[in-house]
Amino acid sequence: MTQEVKVYPLASPWGRFSLYTFFIDAPEPAIVDSGIASSPAEGMAPALAALGRRIADVRWILLTHGHIDHVGGAYALRELTGGRAQVVIGAADAPLLRSRRAHVDEYLAGRGRYLRDADGAARVAAAALAVISGELEPAVLVTGGEVIPLGGGVTVSVHHLPGHTAGSVGYLLDGQRSVFAGDAVQIHGAANGFPSYMDPSLYRASLEYLRDEVRPERLYLGHPYRHGNGLSAGVELDAEQARSALRESLDIEGLVGAAARDCLCAGLRETASPYSPFAPVAFEVGYQGDPALEPSPFFTSMHGYRTHFDQGKGQGRHG
Ligand SMILES: [Zn+2]
């Protein structure tokens, strides 16, 4: 490919945050991630109009994973294209696109076990109802290795980046090594100040895969994640910034993982701490954020370490 394909971040307001989606200005235009229910009409449509593009012309909706702030707008966005845009998602996250209830189940199986919030599941159900524009059967399920044609010889290849969620994928704009990684690269996490991953080993392996195999020239992130100094990395990183974000993400997982394994080896103890039963981990890594703030990256990641630890014990017992 000779001509560089332009990419534009589209910011959609959500409370005190902005949600980021990315417009790939190809012959068959694509939008990576879909924000929440209001994002297509309130964020994407005016931003595209300012670029001289029409939301109705979008032909691909490429979802990096199933979290509500990424899939919530998919149904509404597809409607704005007259149903012509094809929705693509990682197979393991497809249940989160098909059903609002899946978000409640995910909450109950992970972070909800630690949050001491009797109304937690009801709150997640209400949020799913409010911000997911519709339940949806994806047109294309991907697991990595697929190539999606955006017309005129422009292609996007799919890379499996599990860890943050089981079905997280990255989309690589071929020929220019522009990578849309969603939430697979967290650095110190977003506003909550802690990186979120359901499976720490897979999260780490995906970071290494990005660093060693994909080697982004441009890296587009799902949120403006924070560095250790509290400053935002932004959502568009050049090659050098991408390398340092990957390095920093791996370093942080290393520190958090070591503290989590120490805590698990010593045995979990319930205390009055809001970080209980993982208070020693918060202390060890100096995390002072509110662990109850949804979507609770602290407890999501801690539960990931715990699951691994328990599986390891099980394997040990049975040889
Ligand atoms: Zn996410």
Side-chain angles (χ1 to χ4, degrees), residues 64-70 164-165 168 182-183 186 196 223 225 295:
T64 60
H65 65 293
H67 283 159
I68 56 171
D69 51 332
H70 295 258
H164 176 66
T165 64
S168 287
D183 295 355
Q186 295 258 326
S196 173
H223 302 276
Y225 290 110

Side-chain angles (χ1 to χ4, degrees), residues 3-293:
Q3 184 110 40
E4 182 165 327
V5 179
K6 287 252 185 342
V7 172
Y8 300 96
L10 311 175
S12 302
W14 187 22
R16 56 203 172 94
F17 303 110
S18 281
L19 296 176
Y20 288 89
T21 56
F22 298 94
F23 178 66
I24 303 177
D25 197 8
E28 292 185 22
I31 287 184
V32 179
D33 285 332
S34 66
I36 57 164
S38 60
S39 304
E42 291 177 12
M44 297 173 210
L48 286 175
L51 294 170
R53 300 290 184 271
R54 288 166 6 119
I55 202 162
D57 295 332
V58 170
R59 287 295 167 269
W60 295 93
I61 300 169
L62 308 176
L63 302 173
T64 60
H65 65 293
H67 283 159
I68 56 171
D69 51 332
H70 295 258
V71 302
Y75 185 93
L77 175 54
R78 195 183 63 166
E79 288 295 289
L80 290 172
T81 71
R84 281 175 294 179
Q86 300 198 63
V87 179
V88 183
I89 192 167
D93 279 12
L96 295 162
L97 185 65
R98 293 189 182 116
S99 138
R100 291 186 175 95
R101 175 67 207 182
H103 294 264
V104 180
D105 294 341
E106 188 200 62
Y107 170 87
L108 290 171
R111 62 197 190 274
R113 296 171 50 162
Y114 308 97
L115 284 168
R116 300 173 185 169
D117 178 0
D119 300 326
R123 237 189 289 280
V124 173
L129 194 61
V131 306
I132 295 176
S133 53
E135 298 177 326
L136 185 60
E137 181 59 35
V140 184
L141 292 176
V142 290
T143 55
E146 297 83 357
V147 175
I148 297 167
L150 305 187
V154 178
T155 58
V156 161
S157 54
V158 182
H159 295 263
H160 193 203
L161 302 175
H164 176 66
T165 64
S168 287
V169 296
Y171 297 98
L172 170 70
L173 191 45
D174 293 312
Q176 57 195 73
R177 308 208 76 73
S178 298
V179 178
F180 304 89
D183 295 355
V185 181
Q186 295 258 326
I187 319 179
H188 277 264
N192 216 318
F194 204 87
S196 173
Y197 32 82
M198 293 173 71
D199 185 318
S201 301
L202 291 177
Y203 174 69
R204 188 166 189 86
S206 292
L207 291 169
E208 291 170 342
Y209 174 76
L210 281 168
R211 179 191 65 189
D212 300 337
E213 306 291 331
V214 181
R215 300 191 308 279
E217 283 293 319
R218 285 202 169 270
L219 181 62
Y220 297 93
L221 302 179
H223 302 276
Y225 290 110
R226 310 270 175 100
H227 292 295
N229 58 14
L231 293 177
S232 164
V235 295
E236 288 180 278
L237 283 60
D238 66 19
E240 179 52 40
Q241 291 166 330
R243 274 193 294 277
S244 83
L246 290 167
R247 190 184 322 122
E248 208 176 346
S249 299
L250 282 161
D251 288 349
I252 293 155
E253 191 288 319
L255 290 172
V256 172
R261 281 183 286 275
D262 283 351
C263 175
L264 288 158
C265 284
L268 295 180
R269 278 190 309 117
E270 296 288 345
T271 64
S273 162
Y275 306 99
S276 172
F278 303 104
V281 181
F283 177 77
E284 189 72 27
V285 303
Y287 177 56
Q288 296 179 324
D290 178 359
L293 211 60

